[in-house]
Every structure is written in C-alpha cells, then in structure tokens.
Amino acid sequence: MGLNIAGIAINTNYKEDISKLEIMFAQRLLFEKEVTFEEACESFKEDSYCDIYFSEKGTFILCDMENGCF
C-alpha cells in the first residue's frame, strides 16, 4: 500500500493571485477549507483534490495522481 500523490513547488507565493495558478494549470480552483499538513498527506481522500500551501517565498501544491491538477 502506498500514497499516490503528485506535487509541484513554485518559488513564488500566489496566495493573493490564485487566478494565475488557475491559468497556469488550466483548472478552476475552489477554496473548500484549510487543512493541516498531516491532512494533506493522508492516504484516503476524495477524488480530485488539490491542497495548496503558501509559504513566505513560494507555493506548494499536492493533488491526486489520477485526476491531477496539472
């Protein structure tokens, strides 16, 4: 059993400009709720998810491999 996730790290913080992420990945992003890092790394998640973390200098995105957000 393993955890199948896809991810990308970007050296720009897009917290105040989510629309740029939507354009880059050709996906509409809808804020549902805040989650902890542990929740973002859980094995059992709903289909088609995308967890985004904004650090001071970057953006980190985790999503499911099957549907992906890339």
Side-chain angles (χ1 to χ4, degrees), residues 10-21 24 52-55 57-59 61:
I10 306 169
N11 65 349
T12 302
N13 181 316
Y14 286 102
K15 186 173 187 173
E16 301 303 323
D17 203 354
I18 298 292
S19 62
K20 284 189 180 177
L21 286 178
M24 278 190 265
I52 304 173
Y53 171 75
F54 302 103
S55 72
K57 296 182 180 181
T59 302
I61 303 169

Side-chain angles (χ1 to χ4, degrees), residues 6-61:
I8 187 168
I10 306 169
N11 65 349
T12 302
N13 181 316
Y14 286 102
K15 186 173 187 173
E16 301 303 323
D17 203 354
I18 298 292
S19 62
K20 284 189 180 177
L21 286 178
E22 293 177 330
I23 291 168
M24 278 190 265
F25 300 112
Q27 293 286 328
R28 179 80 171 116
L29 300 173
L30 173 66
F31 176 80
E32 229 175 76
K33 65 178 182 172
E34 287 194 27
V35 296
T36 64
F37 183 75
E38 289 78 17
E39 290 171 312
C41 293
E42 286 179 350
S43 295
F44 302 103
K45 299 185 112 179
E46 296 179 19
D47 291 337
S48 191
Y49 69 88
C50 183
D51 292 323
I52 304 173
Y53 171 75
F54 302 103
S55 72
E56 185 178 316
K57 296 182 180 181
T59 302
F60 181 56
I61 303 169

